[in-house]
Amino acid sequence: MAGVTVPVHAPVIDWIVQNIHEDQVTPDALDQLNAWKTGEKQPTLKQLEAMSRKTRIPFGYFLLQTPPDEDIALAEYRTVGSKKHQKPSRELIDILDQMTAIQDWIRDDLKREQSDAATFIGSCSLRDSTSEIAQRIRDDLALKTNWYRGGKNAEDNFNRLRSTLAQHGLLIFTGGKIGANTHRPLDVNEFRAFTLVDAYAPLIFINTTDTANGRLFSLLHETAHVWLGKNSLFNNSEWSDEHVSLLEQKCNAVAAELLVPAADFSEIWESSIPVEDMIEGAARHFRCSEAVILRRAYGMKRIPRDVYARMLALQKERWEHAKAQKKKSSGGDFYNTLLSNLDHRFLAALERSVIQGNTQDTDAYRLTATNRKTYRGALERMGGV
């Protein structure tokens, strides 16, 4: 009944207030939460549902006797420059929860199917050199050193690399918002990608609010994390390695070597050509951002520090502009976007499990953030299983 009220326990209210971003919640909502805490008022179920939407806190949390225990250890890997975020956004927490649930499901499914664990997980260590790790990845994936020449641009190479990784057992998911909710975008300034290492179901998630060049670099960076066997929540930009852990520096270096091999770079670099033209031409050659080329050129002592700093600042401005333009662009076809975001091997295994009666339809909808109609529509677009 609409008039029935529900008590919300004070410790739960305290936890909710501590775990919301005040700048996203109106003062009226905070006053309402305080009134519920003191007992001055008690909410109805409809009011709780509305507050859940406003705060982005799951509805069920409001009904708990004690505060929830959210395991968001991966979020603690985040750093921006030298500062840690005070708290992860609800969007980051929710996408981590969804990907963790997917990983748990497919690990159980693979074990039930008696699949073997991946042998390359953690096959490298930080003691290995950058070139050794990069070559191990190339060997395991059967990638040529100049694999980057196979695609027309960064987006094309991202898709080719994603397909190769999937063929070797990695789960690759992408997305720019929570489910189909356009009001809950994923903030590229908070994270660009993350990796959940697992012997059976290693999973990489790429934030598609980043640029095409950024997404390609992130995929290579996260690939390095898989071979090193280390979880990752990647939000370091292309602009600096300052205040970044040795692990992140190593993964950046491996990604750069895979994307712009040192030997290939030395072959095409011509000191007689103006630096601006050389950087632009090299970026086209390697199908990557000019920022990556700049860092490569500086690291290999092809340009001095002052030129590097000046041109990198310009690249950052261009990246911010490109990101802003991407935000204004259309979302495209719903099903194409959905299928692009989901790992097809996972989706096929999920539907097979539903048909066999091992997984409920409702669980399939929950894992894919769909409903009956959109889930079936996605399967039809994919061509069945």
Side-chain angles (χ1 to χ4, degrees):
M1 294 176 61
V4 174
T5 59
V6 182
V8 183
H9 296 275
V12 173
I13 294 289
D14 286 337
W15 183 92
I16 289 168
V17 171
Q18 292 166 8
N19 284 273
I20 58 177
H21 288 262
E22 289 82 356
D23 59 344
Q24 295 179 345
V25 180
T26 65
D28 287 347
L30 293 173
D31 290 342
Q32 192 173 28
L33 284 168
N34 188 59
W36 295 349
K37 175 185 172 181
T38 61
E40 178 186 344
K41 295 180 180 178
Q42 282 195 341
T44 63
L45 285 174
K46 185 173 288 188
Q47 288 174 327
L48 282 183
E49 290 172 351
M51 185 62 74
S52 174
R53 289 192 296 272
K54 290 177 184 176
T55 60
R56 299 170 183 172
I57 299 291
F59 172 75
Y61 287 10
F62 288 84
L63 306 179
L64 296 174
Q65 302 254 341
T66 58
D69 181 18
E70 289 189 311
D71 183 11
I72 50 173
L74 191 63
E76 299 308 312
Y77 283 78
R78 296 165 308 140
T79 56
V80 177
S82 61
K83 298 180 180 178
K84 280 195 173 185
H85 278 280
Q86 292 183 344
K87 64 184 77 166
S89 69
R90 294 308 310 179
E91 285 70 31
L92 174 54
I93 292 171
D94 288 350
I95 200 67
L96 281 171
D97 283 347
Q98 183 190 1
M99 292 300 121
T100 300
I102 286 173
Q103 186 179 61
D104 290 344
W105 182 90
I106 202 159
R107 181 196 304 113
D108 292 342
D109 183 71
L110 288 169
K111 287 183 176 180
R112 185 168 52 244
E113 296 292 315
Q114 298 184 328
S115 299
D116 295 328
T119 58
F120 53 81
I121 308 296
S123 58
C124 298
S125 81
L126 286 173
R127 294 187 298 274
D128 298 327
S129 69
T130 295
S131 59
E132 286 172 338
I133 297 172
Q135 191 56 50
R136 178 64 181 269
I137 292 171
R138 291 191 197 104
D139 290 343
D140 287 342
L141 297 178
L143 281 180
K144 294 181 179 179
T145 304
N146 67 345
W147 69 274
Y148 55 86
R149 298 293 292 169
K152 300 187 298 268
N153 50 37
E155 184 174 7
D156 197 11
N157 277 344
F158 177 92
N159 292 330
R160 291 175 63 247
L161 180 61
R162 179 182 184 177
S163 177
T164 299
L165 291 168
Q167 289 168 18
H168 286 78
L170 275 81
L171 297 159
I172 314 293
F173 291 82
T174 66
K177 57 184 180 295
I178 299 299
N181 192 338
T182 56
H183 298 292
R184 299 194 64 194
L186 303 177
D187 184 0
V188 72
N189 291 316
E190 183 175 31
F191 79 101
R192 301 176 74 180
F194 61 79
T195 293
L196 301 172
V197 172
D198 183 87
Y200 285 87
L203 185 149
I204 294 174
F205 181 89
I206 303 293
N207 186 346
T208 56
T209 62
D210 202 352
T211 62
N213 282 320
R215 294 195 299 274
L216 176 58
F217 188 85
S218 292
L219 183 56
L220 289 163
H221 176 100
E222 299 307 307
T223 297
H225 270 279
V226 173
W227 262 255
L228 287 165
K230 304 290 186 182
N231 285 348
S232 161
L233 201 147
F234 181 47
N235 73 323
N236 177 239
S237 73
E238 293 175 274
W239 322 121
S240 175
D241 261 346
E242 293 182 12
H243 311 296
V244 175
S245 69
L246 290 175
L247 171 62
E248 292 304 293
Q249 289 181 41
K250 178 72 79 172
C251 290
N252 279 341
V254 171
E257 173 60 24
L258 289 169
L259 191 55
V260 184
D264 293 13
F265 183 80
S266 295
E267 282 186 10
I268 70 146
W269 187 269
E270 292 287 349
S271 298
S272 60
I273 297 175
V275 172
E276 289 82 356
D277 294 341
M278 192 66 246
I279 295 295
E280 184 179 342
R284 285 197 304 271
H285 178 86
F286 290 103
R287 280 73 161 159
C288 68
S289 71
E290 293 184 17
V292 171
I293 298 298
L294 272 169
R295 290 183 66 177
R296 209 71 170 123
Y298 177 64
M300 295 179 66
K301 303 188 186 320
R302 305 294 175 150
I303 57 175
R305 174 73 186 181
D306 61 328
V307 172
Y308 168 71
R310 173 176 57 81
M311 294 186 68
L312 201 61
L314 179 61
Q315 287 302 314
K316 186 175 182 180
E317 288 181 15
R318 291 176 178 172
W319 179 81
E320 293 287 356
H321 177 73
K323 186 178 66 170
Q325 291 301 114
K326 188 177 189 304
K327 191 177 292 186
K328 296 175 185 176
S329 65
S330 166
D333 179 85
F334 172 81
Y335 285 107
N336 286 345
T337 301
L338 178 61
L339 284 173
S340 174
N341 288 340
L342 292 172
D343 183 280
H344 287 199
R345 183 169 63 100
F346 158 71
L347 191 55
L350 184 61
E351 178 57 10
R352 171 182 47 74
S353 183
V354 169
I355 292 171
Q356 293 173 348
N358 294 321
T359 299
Q360 297 294 316
D361 287 344
T362 51
D363 287 331
Y365 308 153
R366 174 180 57 83
L367 289 169
T368 53
T370 58
N371 55 36
R372 183 179 181 279
K373 178 182 177 182
T374 54
Y375 177 76
R376 291 297 158 197
L379 287 174
E380 289 175 8
R381 287 287 189 97
M382 193 173 75
V385 293

